[in-house]
Amino acid sequence: MKQHASTRRLALALAAAFAAPLAVAATPPREVAPRYDASSHVFRLDAGKVTYAMGVDPDGRLQTLYWGARLAADDPLGPATPAPERSSFDPKGALSRQEYAGWGGNITAMPALKVKFDDGNRDLILRYDSYRIDHGALAILMRDVKAGVDVTLRYTADPATGVIGRSARIENKSTQALTIDSAAAATWSLPSGSDYSLRYLTGTWAGEWHLQTRAITQGATVLESRRGSTGDENNPWFAINRGGAWNEEHGDVWFGALAWSGSWQIRVDEDILGQVRVTGGFNPFDFGYRLKPGESLDTPVFYGGYTADGMGEASRLLHRFEKASVLPHGEQAKLRPVLYNSWEATEFKVDEAGQEQLAERAAKLGVERFVVDDGWFGARNSDHAGLGDWTVNRTKFPNGLKPLIDKVHTLGMSFGLWVEPEMVNSDSDLYRAHPDWVLNFPDRQRSEGRNQLVLNLAREDVKAHVFEVLDRLLAENDIQFLKWDYNRNWSEPGWPQMSPDEQQKVYVAYTRNLYDILRRLREKHPGVEIESCSGGGARVDLGVMALTDEVWPSDNTDASDRLSIQDGFSQAYAPATMMSWVTGSPTWVNNRAMSLDFRFLSSMQGGLGIGANLLTWSEADNTTARHYITAYKAIRTTVQRGDLYRLLSPQNRAAWSATSSVSTDRKQAVLFAFQRQGEEARAFPTLRLQGLDPVARYRMRFIHGAAVPGTPEVASGAYWMAHGVDLLIKGDFDAAGAVFEAP
């Protein structure tokens, strides 16, 4: 049976997210064939502007040889040689750049894999055995024959971006059980140097996506989440620059992102020789994965890329890869509709009449999707009760959801619902019936967060229940969208139904069962789109992105704060996935007042949504909103599918911010510029656009704002990029938006 292109692409993305056996062997859109030179024992992948190479040394270890700018096909890259021993304290095991090192022999560097056998042995030395190439994917088998452990390393290379995907399958081939103490997806090794610096993302609730920079020195930097999910304290993404000159347009940048939505760790090490390694995968904290003879464990996929053209290009490469190869439906994905969410207007006080009134207001503005947030189900009148009881509250909706859904559809909008299916209130019918279904240690406290407990999705009965209630909800109601929330960290992560030596599998089993629920829902209800939300941006990663259509980067909807949040988000993730709402003023976050113009322009840099109470808007507000929604629909293909250029950074509370998005055919560019605070009569900086066709003629028109007198309406791309444009922006919270179009 011939598979539809979008279904095939989704299957590929899911396989990558699960790191299933031979997942990387599926046919990519444009095949890239790895090469093996038998004479030098060198493997090589060439894709985009990148070459990646590794070789087998005389000891049988697989060593990284090169990762950087693309080389000529006949350039020599081997053979691999063992690292020289500096002293008895610095053996070659400590200094060799292994692709995937087991903890064994004289290794003192951070290994990719550490195991212990029931007989007490903890020594593991992985040596090359064989390889195969299948439909553009490379699989290399590493073995410790005596210990009885096989590790299959899997490699893909995206031909358009040069992004490489790496993962591992660990198999117990011995006659005794073993426990995996730690398992990485991959170790990335960079050329020796003493001038590297690291960028990474940190945050907290309502303050996500802060971009941090620090020099890499001898020692380790550890980025991680121990929270059971991705977390917002760190995000599983990194970028490394050589030379210390961080620039959007110039400089060598190595970057990577881990496709995993559970507890994770990325560790950046520099050794005594100036060799930098990045090892990432499952978080080893409280981790223990037992394998009986014949059993296996697949790691997540750890993606990595390289560019010589600065941080801006590093982000654009990752964005292109995400849009084409990670997100459901790939390049055939629908544009994000203009959305309205009723939370700010009603909170838990939802009812049929009130939601219909809001829907009527939203439709008149040009909104395309109406979403009912928390409070529509069970005894859900506050966050203290009802969570887990996914039946319609008949007091609020006497005839179920159908009358409201029909009304929304009649108004020309699709319909969505908020759900939080992984959680339960102790005051709920579900918890009273199944108190054993939550993560817990017997006879210990059960800590609550937001008055809720975490259902243990690792249990097959819990997984089946969650799927069944969501499947029934979607089957019985004509729903097009789910806002899937997740509002607390794990605590007491026990799994009492399992034996003590099996319980720590919960970290892997939970996340894989979550993925399976999402996958099965998408297969059974292909018309339903899903947003990943976790109290804001606490579950944003390439694993969950393979199964959802958009993500919620932060509960903080303050339009000024959002400039920094969105800038940090865009370092790693495509604006096509990023939802941003226009909400009330003054904001609930900072009690800060901003114009509706500023709020709309801030939100139009991603997927546009509205979360304000429309019942309080004046007719002037409605007119303004209609203007911006109409303008957004004319530019959203460029914003969501084009290339993003960060012109002025709002990081570290900077006064200015500016971005531009350029369509793939370079016929349209959209410029957004913001001033948070005016001081000392300073003029707004001249903005020089990027990514335009230098010989094309672009006409400039404004969505809002104006240029200084004398600015031409039409000029070449070269003019707008070299001469630039000066905008009339003055005062606090002023902004401008302009469109540049070529015939």
Side-chain angles (χ1 to χ4, degrees), residues 431 433-440 446 456 459 461-462 496-497:
Y431 186 75
H434 299 285
D436 57 323
W437 276 13
V438 300
L439 294 172
N440 75 95
R446 298 186 177 190
N456 184 3
R459 291 179 52 138
D461 51 357
V462 176
Q497 295 73 34

Side-chain angles (χ1 to χ4, degrees), residues 9 47 88 96 584:
R9 189 179 300 277
S88 60
S96 62

Side-chain angles (χ1 to χ4, degrees), residues 115-253:
V115 304
K116 60 175 176 282
F117 290 87
D118 281 0
D119 66 4
N121 174 48
R122 302 192 305 280
D123 187 66
L124 183 71
I125 299 176
L126 298 172
R127 290 187 168 89
Y128 172 77
D129 180 87
S130 58
Y131 80 95
R132 60 193 176 99
I133 297 172
D134 187 7
H135 293 91
L138 171 65
I140 299 176
L141 176 60
M142 307 292 293
R143 310 185 98 165
D144 186 321
V145 177
K146 188 172 183 179
V149 174
D150 284 6
V151 178
T152 302
L153 306 179
R154 298 185 288 262
Y155 298 80
T156 54
D158 179 59
T161 62
V163 171
I164 295 165
R166 295 179 56 188
S167 60
R169 160 168 269 213
I170 304 154
E171 298 178 84
N172 183 359
K173 297 286 190 177
S174 74
T175 58
Q176 62 174 313
L178 64 84
T179 299
I180 299 173
D181 292 326
S182 64
T187 295
W188 302 96
S189 293
L190 278 64
S192 297
S194 59
D195 55 353
Y196 285 108
S197 52
L198 170 69
R199 277 195 173 170
Y200 56 102
L201 293 162
T202 64
T204 184
W205 176 80
E208 302 91 336
W209 308 103
H210 290 282
L211 185 62
Q212 309 292 345
T213 304
R214 67 167 60 176
I216 297 176
T217 58
Q218 289 184 15
T221 298
V222 177
L223 312 175
E224 65 177 353
S225 170
R226 300 181 180 184
R227 300 166 182 259
S229 65
T230 316
D232 47 24
E233 186 176 24
N234 295 142
N235 186 267
W237 165 88
F238 74 90
I240 295 175
N241 164 263
R242 188 169 188 182
W246 286 98
N247 188 292
E248 284 287 305
E249 300 175 57
H250 306 288
D252 293 317
V253 180

Side-chain angles (χ1 to χ4, degrees), residues 322-620:
E322 291 160 1
K323 289 182 289 187
S325 302
V326 175
L327 293 172
H329 311 300
E331 293 167 341
Q332 282 72 50
K334 297 177 182 177
L335 292 169
R336 298 290 86 220
V338 179
L339 174 150
Y340 179 77
N341 183 288
S342 65
W343 172 253
E344 190 169 291
T346 61
E347 295 190 353
F348 295 101
K349 297 176 182 178
V350 298
D351 59 37
E352 184 177 314
Q355 295 298 297
E356 287 188 355
Q357 187 180 13
L358 286 166
E360 290 170 354
R361 297 286 183 98
K364 289 178 180 178
L365 300 179
V367 167
E368 299 160 309
R369 172 166 289 163
F370 183 85
V371 181
V372 178
D373 210 280
D374 201 350
W376 60 269
F377 56 91
R380 191 68 168 170
N381 298 310
S382 72
D383 63 13
H384 288 74
L387 198 59
D389 300 336
W390 299 105
T391 55
V392 179
N393 184 309
R394 291 289 174 158
T395 300
K396 299 178 180 181
F397 298 93
N399 300 301
L401 292 173
K402 188 176 188 305
L404 174 60
I405 293 174
D406 289 346
K407 174 78 170 182
V408 168
H409 290 162
T410 300
L411 292 168
M413 298 181 291
S414 61
F415 182 82
L417 274 184
W418 178 95
V419 294
E420 191 173 2
E422 300 165 71
M423 303 290 169
V424 64
N425 287 129
S426 55
D427 184 3
S428 67
D429 293 341
L430 180 64
Y431 186 75
R432 284 184 282 270
H434 299 285
D436 57 323
W437 276 13
V438 300
L439 294 172
N440 75 95
F441 294 121
D443 301 320
R444 301 293 295 175
Q445 74 280 347
R446 298 186 177 190
S447 303
E448 296 189 4
R450 200 174 182 251
N451 308 299
Q452 60 196 50
L453 297 162
V454 183
L455 289 171
N456 184 3
L457 284 193
R459 291 179 52 138
E460 290 302 313
D461 51 357
V462 176
K463 171 188 171 184
H465 171 78
V466 170
F467 174 78
E468 287 166 8
V469 296
L470 292 174
D471 177 43
R472 183 166 59 249
L473 179 68
L474 295 174
E476 294 177 354
N477 298 280
D478 192 5
I479 296 168
Q480 289 73 52
F481 175 79
L482 292 178
K483 183 179 178 70
W484 186 303
D485 213 339
Y486 177 97
N487 272 309
R488 59 157 294 181
N489 300 313
W490 285 17
S491 59
E492 299 91 36
W495 189 358
Q497 295 73 34
M498 303 292 284
S499 63
D501 59 3
E502 296 275 354
Q503 287 198 28
Q504 287 165 300
K505 285 186 175 180
V506 67
Y507 290 100
V508 176
Y510 182 107
T511 302
R512 288 199 168 150
N513 280 352
L514 167 66
Y515 288 166
D516 194 48
I517 292 168
L518 289 166
R519 176 185 59 79
R520 290 170 62 200
L521 287 173
R522 297 192 72 94
E523 289 176 349
K524 196 165 181 182
H525 306 278
V528 175
E529 297 174 357
I530 302 173
E531 175 183 287
S532 174
C533 173
S534 178
R539 189 156 67 188
V540 176
D541 59 80
L542 296 188
V544 79
M545 278 186 171
L547 294 150
T548 55
D549 302 274
E550 64 190 44
V551 297
W552 181 236
S554 180
D555 283 348
N556 184 344
T557 56
D558 180 294
S560 178
D561 285 353
R562 269 290 177 135
L563 297 176
S564 299
I565 288 168
Q566 294 171 178
D567 178 87
F569 179 96
S570 75
Q571 305 290 324
Y573 303 111
T577 68
M578 180 182 72
M579 287 305 298
S580 185
W581 295 357
V582 176
T583 57
S585 178
T587 66
W588 67 267
V589 187
N590 302 306
N591 198 33
R592 180 160 50 201
M594 286 168 281
S595 70
L596 197 53
D597 300 295
F598 191 95
R599 285 178 276 155
F600 260 102
L601 290 169
S602 175
S603 296
M604 288 166 67
Q605 296 174 93
L608 176 62
I610 300 174
N613 184 355
L614 299 182
L615 303 181
T616 66
W617 278 16
S618 66
E619 189 50 44

Side-chain angles (χ1 to χ4, degrees), residues 202-327:
T202 64
T204 184
W205 176 80
E208 302 91 336
W209 308 103
H210 290 282
L211 185 62
Q212 309 292 345
T213 304
R214 67 167 60 176
I216 297 176
T217 58
Q218 289 184 15
T221 298
V222 177
L223 312 175
E224 65 177 353
S225 170
R226 300 181 180 184
R227 300 166 182 259
S229 65
T230 316
D232 47 24
E233 186 176 24
N234 295 142
N235 186 267
W237 165 88
F238 74 90
I240 295 175
N241 164 263
R242 188 169 188 182
W246 286 98
N247 188 292
E248 284 287 305
E249 300 175 57
H250 306 288
D252 293 317
V253 180
W254 292 262
F255 57 92
L258 185 66
W260 185 243
S261 308
S263 293
W264 60 273
Q265 184 181 96
I266 294 175
R267 176 176 168 132
V268 182
D269 290 279
E270 181 182 318
D271 67 18
I272 58 173
L273 300 181
Q275 296 176 144
V276 174
R277 300 180 184 85
V278 182
T279 303
F282 301 121
N283 195 318
F285 177 79
D286 196 38
F287 185 85
Y289 200 95
R290 190 164 175 80
L291 294 182
K292 297 174 183 176
E295 292 183 336
S296 62
L297 172 65
D298 289 298
T299 73
V301 179
F302 197 0
Y303 293 102
Y306 164 82
T307 180
D309 298 321
M311 270 303 302
E313 184 63 10
S315 297
R316 288 186 289 275
L317 287 170
L318 199 48
H319 296 171
R320 291 170 198 152
F321 176 73
E322 291 160 1
K323 289 182 289 187
S325 302
V326 175
L327 293 172

